[in-house]
Structure formats: structure tokens, C-alpha cells
Amino acid sequence: MSSASKDSAPGNKRKAEEDESEGGWHGLMKKSAIKTVPKQQQSFIFGLKNKVGVLREVMDLFKKHHVDMDHIESRPVVDSSTGADYEFFVSAANVDSEVVTLLKGMAVFVNALDDKGNSGDPKWFPRRIEELDVFATRVLNAGSELESDHPGFTDPVYRERRRYFADIAINYKHNEPIPKVDYTQEEIATWQTVYEKLTKLYPTHACKEFNRVFPLLEENCGYGPNQIPQLADVSTYLQKCTGFRLRPVAGLLSSRDFLAGLAFRVFHSTQYIRHKSKPLYTPEPDCCHELLGHVPLFADNEFAQFSQSIGLASLGASDEDIEKLATCYWFTIEFGLCKEGDGVKAYGAGLLSSFGELQYCLSGKPQIQPFRPEITGQTPYPVTEYQPLYFLSESFTDATTQMREYAAKLKRPFQIRYNPYTQSINLLESNKELSDLALEVKALTEVLAGAITRRVRK
């Protein structure tokens, strides 16, 4: 599920409507085909000292003023300069100014989050993989209220199915099994049309990493023209390959929230499929885009590293830097090209799920430039036509190195690392964090040195 750059949702009303041979999804930026149901929700973070009864006082305050909480979680404060021992994230309704004023009298600090998840505190971002449960439900667009120009607008059966898929995603929590879906024969027929059209192009147009993985998905995850793979099966397989996993999402996330998922090697994926009347066109990302375009390369170690590097760079970044990172995402993970021998191949999901643009991008008609995050991140692009410009990566390893070097230059007042053992983000601010990292690097260096020594002796 690609993110929404510039906080608008996806859609592609371009040549696909005139030429149904195009197919695929191409919108990080366009208005969504699904309307958002407004909610009077407010999220905020507050810090408390570790003293007996203080949290109960806050809960009594909420109860007295009829604050309707739907989520609360806590974690120890890493930055002791705040003066708090614990910080709490709360999502609730019926929070008026009086409640906030009274809470400020009890708490060490109170930061309200806006509708993009920004709090004014760059250190607030998901630190544990479970915290994605909060951000994954904060969709910009979701539901079954399709716009009048959506192919399924007048189809009550399709709209009911969209409601069904949205409910699955909204109710999903981390570590729960992803519910399996009984796709209808009409949905499978739509998948078959897309599958057969695209797979004819993959051997000649997709990168070697993609073509290496695709047969493995057919063997292990039920990929094929006659059935739609289940997210649960695909997610399990990806975790075995690279540690990436899928989680269902009801609609489009903001760029900040979507990229934060990548930092934990989590990809937010839709489960619904496009309307049967236009099998080679979709106004929003669907399971064809996710499963055919995105999933295969998440099973490749180098690509997984590259994807996570963009996600990690986004944590705590400014809105301006988020915009640049989202643009880098657009020109790489969605529409990227890479060198292969003396030629060029496609690796972007927007290309690999689009029959028309997959051919166009390698036709010699568009302009191609080397991938450079500093330049790529500030390059404008159209969303209603094929891309006039694509960026070429030397390799996934080179792209990852460039993204890490670019991230190191971002104006963040802290350094972070991902801990794969606890699936959490650590701020490298304390002596203990630095010491733990040094010990880990030392251990890994010794393993590497030992392996090299043995290889040389052979």
C-alpha cells in the first residue's frame, strides 16, 4: 500500500481510462476514490513522573469529563531531559480544552498530535512494532463510500465487499493471524486477467531479483492465475526470507505513517481487488498492485535493506524531509529502474503491476537519470500520465548506501538503530545504548573475520 505523498490519496485517472491495456496503479498523490468518514478523535502524548496514584488521577479526570478512550499505551522515557519517567500515547474522543488544561496540571508535558501524527516533538514515532496498530488505523481514506467515477460505484455487491475488507484491516492487531479471504469467482477472474497479462512481460522487463523470487512465490504462496494468494501465507513466507511482513490496511496512510512501517520491515497491504468491469485499471492500490508489484522483491535481502533504509530515515524527520523521502520512494520502490548487465530493467511496483507502463519505461522514450537522493527527492512528477523521467539505480546495495548517507545528513537531533531481536527502535543517546551497540558490532566483526579467514585458508 503505497503512501500518500503530499497528504492526498491515490488514484490514476489517466490513460488507463482511455486505454485499458495500461493497467496497474500509479498514484501516491491523486485524490482517492474512497471518501473518509470524519471522526472527532484526538491523539496526544503526555509524560508523568513515576509516583503512586498519578496515572489513576489521570484516568479519573478522563472519566469525570466523559473522555472516550479507544487506545492508551505507555513506555519508559529515554530522554531524561523531559523530566518525565513514563510517556503515554492516548487516542480518544470528547477531549475538550478544559481536559487538556487540567491534564497539563498533572503531567510533566502534554503534546497534542495533529491529523498527520505530528506532535511537534521529533522524537515521537513508533518505537515498537506493536505501536503500528495505532498508526495503521489512521488512514486518510477508507471504507465503501466510493466516488461517483469509481468503476464499482453503482455495484452494491462490490461496495459490500469493500466494506468487508475494510473491517478486516481496521480490526487487525499485530501478531494476530491475518484473516483469510474467500475470494469470489468474479474476483478470481479479474486477478487471472491481470496475472496472465503481466507475467508474459516479467521475463523480459523485470529485474533478475524479481524473476528469481517469482517462481518461489508460485511454489510456496499459491501464486498462479487461478487463485488470489492469501496475505497470511505471503507474510509468513516473507518473514522467513527477509523478516518483512504484511499487515492489512483499510486505506491510504500518510507518507509519515506508511514509511514508519517500512522501518520495522512491515508493508501495509490492501486485500480488496479492482472492479470486474475494468480489470486492467484501478483508481487505488489493490491486491494486484501489492502482490504482483511489491511483494516479490520484499523477499530479496538487498531490496529489503533498501526499503527499510527509507523507513528508518523517516523516523523523526521534519515534514519537509518526509516529503523528500516520499518522493525518493516514488522514484524507486514505485517506479525505479536498475542496471542489469548492459541493459536496464524495472523493479518499481508501479511498473511491475502496470502492463502499459512496464513496456513504456523500457521503450527508450522516457528520460533516465542516475538515482541520487538529493536530486531525486526534489524532482516533481506527474500523476495523470506515464512518467517522463525515471531514475536508474546501479544496484540495490548502491541505492541503500546512498539512502543511508542521505539520511545521515537529515536534521535530526538523535541517532537511531533498529533492533531486530526486539523489533524496536533504539535511540542512541545513553552510554548503555552506545556500549550495547559497540558490543554487537564487535561480535559481528569477529564472526565476519572468522568466516573470511576460513575462506582464505580454503
Side-chain angles (χ1 to χ4, degrees):
M1 176 70 172
S2 301
S3 67
S5 183
K6 297 185 180 175
D7 299 308
S8 59
N12 176 24
K13 309 284 186 179
R14 51 181 189 142
K15 293 181 68 176
E17 290 184 310
E18 301 170 3
D19 178 9
E20 287 196 23
S21 68
E22 188 275 324
W25 172 76
H26 306 270
L28 285 175
M29 310 270 288
K30 189 123 178 356
K31 185 176 67 173
S32 174
I34 307 179
K35 297 178 180 178
T36 303
V37 179
K39 296 180 179 180
Q40 299 301 316
Q41 292 289 117
Q42 182 173 351
S43 298
F44 51 93
I45 307 155
F46 60 91
L48 297 176
K49 297 292 289 184
N50 185 17
K51 62 181 182 179
V52 177
V54 64
L55 181 57
R56 176 170 291 279
E57 292 175 8
V58 173
M59 295 299 101
D60 288 343
L61 169 66
F62 290 168
K63 182 177 180 181
K64 179 180 178 181
H65 289 266
H66 307 290
V67 173
D68 183 14
M69 283 195 304
D70 63 15
H71 186 89
I72 182 171
E73 62 182 81
S74 66
R75 65 188 183 198
V77 171
V78 176
D79 182 9
S80 59
S81 66
T82 64
D85 297 312
Y86 290 91
E87 58 187 12
F88 296 81
F89 174 89
V90 172
S91 178
N94 302 325
V95 182
D96 57 27
S97 58
E98 182 181 1
V99 171
V100 175
T101 298
L102 293 172
L103 181 59
K104 287 181 177 179
M106 299 177 177
V108 177
F109 66 85
V110 178
N111 288 326
L113 279 71
D114 62 21
D115 59 1
K116 301 176 189 176
N118 302 321
S119 68
D121 177 6
K123 292 185 182 180
W124 180 264
F125 47 80
R127 303 269 186 87
R128 302 190 307 272
I129 194 170
E130 312 92 79
E131 293 177 16
L132 295 178
D133 287 344
V134 177
F135 300 100
T137 60
R138 193 166 59 208
V139 294
L140 299 178
N141 297 278
S144 58
E145 296 303 315
L146 309 180
E147 289 189 354
S148 59
D149 58 351
H150 190 286
F153 178 74
T154 60
D155 186 341
V157 175
Y158 182 78
R159 292 171 71 125
E160 182 60 32
R161 287 292 282 175
R162 292 293 293 266
R163 187 177 298 110
Y164 163 73
F165 288 114
D167 287 343
I168 289 177
I170 290 170
N171 293 313
Y172 177 78
K173 300 298 180 186
H174 172 68
N175 261 346
E176 293 179 352
I178 301 175
K180 294 199 172 184
V181 174
D182 289 326
Y183 287 100
T184 67
Q185 288 303 309
E186 288 181 343
E187 290 168 338
I188 294 173
T190 300
W191 165 268
Q192 183 178 46
T193 299
V194 178
Y195 190 92
E196 291 180 342
K197 199 86 171 174
L198 286 169
T199 51
K200 292 177 181 178
L201 291 178
Y202 288 159
T204 54
H205 289 66
C207 66
K208 64 180 185 296
E209 292 85 355
F210 183 96
N211 283 319
R212 177 187 65 81
V213 171
F214 203 84
L216 299 176
L217 296 173
E218 292 178 318
E219 180 182 345
N220 295 282
C221 301
Y223 272 55
N226 300 318
Q227 64 178 351
I228 301 176
Q230 296 289 340
L231 254 59
D233 297 335
V234 176
S235 184
T236 297
Y237 180 73
L238 290 179
Q239 288 177 60
K240 294 177 181 178
C241 294
T242 62
F244 250 93
R245 68 181 67 206
L246 307 179
R247 68 170 292 156
V249 68
L252 202 74
L253 298 173
S254 71
S255 295
R256 185 179 294 277
D257 291 348
F258 176 79
L259 295 177
L262 295 181
F264 293 87
R265 298 205 170 199
V266 172
F267 180 74
H268 291 85
S269 174
T270 56
Q271 284 182 293
Y272 59 79
I273 195 166
R274 60 197 65 183
H275 192 259
K276 63 182 179 181
S277 65
K278 291 189 175 182
L280 296 178
Y281 164 71
T282 178
E284 72 263 300
D286 70 336
C287 66
C288 295
H289 174 74
E290 320 285 37
L291 295 173
L292 296 175
H294 280 291
V295 160
L297 284 174
F298 283 131
D300 178 81
N301 279 311
E302 289 187 358
F303 184 82
Q305 288 279 1
F306 174 57
S307 300
Q308 187 180 29
S309 69
I310 296 181
L312 290 169
S314 76
L315 299 181
S318 67
D319 290 346
E320 180 182 358
D321 286 335
I322 288 291
E323 180 70 18
K324 293 175 182 177
L325 291 168
T327 303
C328 285
Y329 175 95
W330 169 273
F331 279 117
T332 55
I333 296 177
E334 285 292 346
F335 289 96
L337 300 177
C338 62
K339 285 188 177 181
E340 191 167 300
D342 296 328
V344 175
K345 300 292 183 179
Y347 73 87
L351 301 174
L352 294 167
S353 61
S354 168
F355 179 75
E357 191 154 5
L358 183 54
Q359 296 175 87
Y360 166 78
C361 71
L362 301 180
S363 67
K365 296 178 181 178
Q367 182 182 0
I368 298 177
Q369 294 182 6
F371 172 62
R372 298 289 183 269
E374 295 85 355
I375 298 173
T376 304
Q378 300 187 68
T379 303
Y381 54 88
V383 295
T384 57
E385 59 187 28
Y386 291 158
Q387 300 301 299
L389 169 66
Y390 297 95
F391 284 90
L392 181 70
S393 299
E394 294 288 329
S395 66
F396 296 146
T397 299
D398 179 67
T400 302
T401 300
Q402 289 197 56
M403 281 307 305
R404 286 176 175 167
E405 292 175 350
Y406 179 68
K409 300 174 185 176
L410 298 181
K411 296 179 180 178
R412 292 191 297 187
F414 52 86
Q415 181 66 42
I416 62 173
R417 68 178 289 262
Y418 176 69
N419 187 328
Y421 308 112
T422 60
Q423 295 181 313
S424 62
I425 301 295
N426 297 337
L427 268 66
L428 301 177
E429 294 186 320
S430 69
N431 289 336
K432 183 178 185 308
E433 288 285 355
L434 295 175
S435 176
D436 289 346
L437 178 59
L439 288 173
E440 184 176 338
V441 171
K442 181 175 182 293
L444 289 174
T445 302
E446 290 173 351
V447 171
L448 177 61
I452 293 175
T453 299
R454 286 178 175 80
R455 189 170 182 82
V456 170
R457 287 174 180 173
K458 291 180 179 180

